[in-house]
């Protein structure tokens, strides 16, 4: 039965585990397959063409594994490759950008919305376009925060260095008087406390990972594709040796990851 098929999730590396974590919490009965393209991470500094090609290869791997839906956990890939993936694969493809934008519009009182992400995500302007398509009067201001990814992976999300970086990156957004901030990168949910401390309680933080889990649940329910039954462990695949993914990924997920298999997308789909 199709409802029994797994959900496929991919990211440039281990950051997308924040999305997997929210999916597990929201949909515990679903079977999950996660692919981290660790050999080619980061996507955030690469050209849209390259990210698009990587995203097609990652999706081909998941489609081949027999998934019922593809979740693009990577914000950068969601920003530049979603349309191509929807054209190429006859499956529902959900990115993190539309859910994050929808939540931001629902939560913002003033329509002054900040977005933070990788260089690639900010350059694409995809969040601003999506937010304005939902709320034409919205005023969107974006900032790339490249240091947040290594800080989160280093376990320094609450370190004074992260606080200093956040204060600097967010200053231009604060002077625009945003009342909502979209965390437009897989790693940023780990920095919630630091971002909240810098911005204060009046700015709502929108976690795209949580928003995505809600939208996935809605979509599966709408199509009669929700799985029932016992929870099972996710299956993990990476494109480089799994050592670092195993170590840092367990910190992200808050538990050991179990078996992780290495695959070569270049040979399989390149
Ligand atoms: N996963 C990426 C994103 O959400 C961050 C890491 C990278 O640059 O690949 O945009």
């Amino acid at each position: 039965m199709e409802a029994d098929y797994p959900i496929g999730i991919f990211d440039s590396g281990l950051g997308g585990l924040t999305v997997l974590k929210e999916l597990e919490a929201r949909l515990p009965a679903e079977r999950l397959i996660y692919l981290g393209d660790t050999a080619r991470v980061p996507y955030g500094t690469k050209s849209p063409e390259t990210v698009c090609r990587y995203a097609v290869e990652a999706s081909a791997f998941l489609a081949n594994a027999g998934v019922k839906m593809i979740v693009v956990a990577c914000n950068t890939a969601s920003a530049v490759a979603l349309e191509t993936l929807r054209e190429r694969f006859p499956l529902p493809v959900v990115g993190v950008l539309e859910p994050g934008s929808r939540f931001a519009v629902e939560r913002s009182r003033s329509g002054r919305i900040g977005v933070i992400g990788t260089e690639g995500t900010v350059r694409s302007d995809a969040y601003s376009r999506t937010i304005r398509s939902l709320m034409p009067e919205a005023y969107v201001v974006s900032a790339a925060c490249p240091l947040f990814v290594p800080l989160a992976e280093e376990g320094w999300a609450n370190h004074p260095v992260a606080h200093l970086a956040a204060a600097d990156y967010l200053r231009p957004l604060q002077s625009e008087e945003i009342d909502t901030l979209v965390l437009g990168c897989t790693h940023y949910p780990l920095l919630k406390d630091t971002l909240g401390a810098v911005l204060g309680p009046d700015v709502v933080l929108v976690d795209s990972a949580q928003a995505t889990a809600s939208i996935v649940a809605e979509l599966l329910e709408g199509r009669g594709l929700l799985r029932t039954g016992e929870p099972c462990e996710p299956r993990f695949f990476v494109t480089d040796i799994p050592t670092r993914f195993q170590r840092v990924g367990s910190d992200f997920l808050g538990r050991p990851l179990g078996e992780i298999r290495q695959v070569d997308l270049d040979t399989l789909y390149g």
Side-chain angles (χ1 to χ4, degrees):
M1 227 178 67
E2 206 184 335
D4 228 27
Y5 296 173
I7 299 174
I9 305 154
F10 80 86
D11 179 47
S12 53
L14 54 89
L17 293 172
T18 53
V19 177
L20 177 123
K21 193 176 175 176
E22 296 300 338
L23 284 169
E24 278 186 328
R26 190 80 170 65
L27 298 163
E30 293 298 329
R31 298 163 61 204
L32 305 175
I33 296 186
Y34 183 96
L35 171 68
D37 193 5
T38 48
R40 307 192 285 200
V41 69
Y43 284 7
T45 51
K46 299 201 167 74
S47 68
E49 294 73 21
T50 298
V51 174
C52 216
R53 178 161 54 85
Y54 291 171
V56 168
E57 290 173 16
S59 300
F61 172 81
L62 293 173
N64 228 27
V67 300
K68 62 183 171 188
M69 169 189 278
I70 294 173
V71 177
V72 185
C74 180
N75 284 259
T76 311
S78 299
V80 302
L82 210 66
E83 259 171 57
T84 307
L85 299 180
R86 285 184 174 149
E87 277 163 26
R88 294 264 192 117
F89 297 92
L91 289 166
V93 181
V94 178
V96 283
L97 213 122
E98 287 159 359
S101 302
R102 205 171 111 181
F103 268 40
V105 165
E106 283 165 11
R107 279 155 186 67
S108 176
R109 297 158 312 241
S110 66
R112 300 182 77 83
I113 299 172
V115 178
I116 53 174
T118 63
E119 244 174 82
T121 299
V122 169
R123 201 185 331 113
S124 75
D125 209 33
Y127 264 110
S128 322
R129 274 185 278 118
T130 311
I131 290 171
R132 283 198 304 266
S133 73
L134 299 167
M135 187 195 231
E137 71 280 17
Y139 176 72
V140 185
V141 45
S142 313
C145 304
L147 286 177
F148 286 171
V149 168
L151 284 168
E153 293 196 7
E154 199 57 35
W156 281 24
N158 298 310
H159 191 281
V161 170
H163 196 97
L164 270 176
D168 229 70
Y169 282 143
L170 298 176
R171 199 164 297 125
L173 280 65
Q174 285 175 296
S175 45
E176 295 289 354
E177 297 180 352
I178 57 162
D179 74 351
T180 304
L181 179 71
V182 183
L183 312 185
C185 174
T186 45
H187 292 60
Y188 297 178
L190 278 92
L191 286 121
K192 261 185 203 163
D193 289 346
T194 297
L195 298 169
V198 170
L199 291 172
D202 293 338
V203 178
V204 180
L205 302 181
V206 172
D207 181 336
S208 290
Q210 276 171 359
T212 303
S214 298
I215 301 296
V216 167
E218 237 173 60
L219 215 140
L220 289 179
E221 194 172 4
R223 295 184 183 217
L225 286 178
L226 278 177
R227 179 174 187 261
T228 48
E230 288 304 305
C232 41
E233 280 300 307
R235 287 162 61 202
F236 295 105
F237 296 88
V238 290
T239 53
D240 192 11
I241 55 162
T243 327
R244 189 164 193 280
F245 184 88
Q246 175 98 53
R247 180 172 54 81
V248 186
S250 323
D251 292 344
F252 267 52
L253 211 52
R255 65 161 203 269
L257 298 184
E259 194 198 351
I260 303 166
R261 288 214 238 147
Q262 187 176 345
V263 291
D264 184 351
L265 301 182
D266 279 334
T267 317
L268 287 172
Y269 309 104

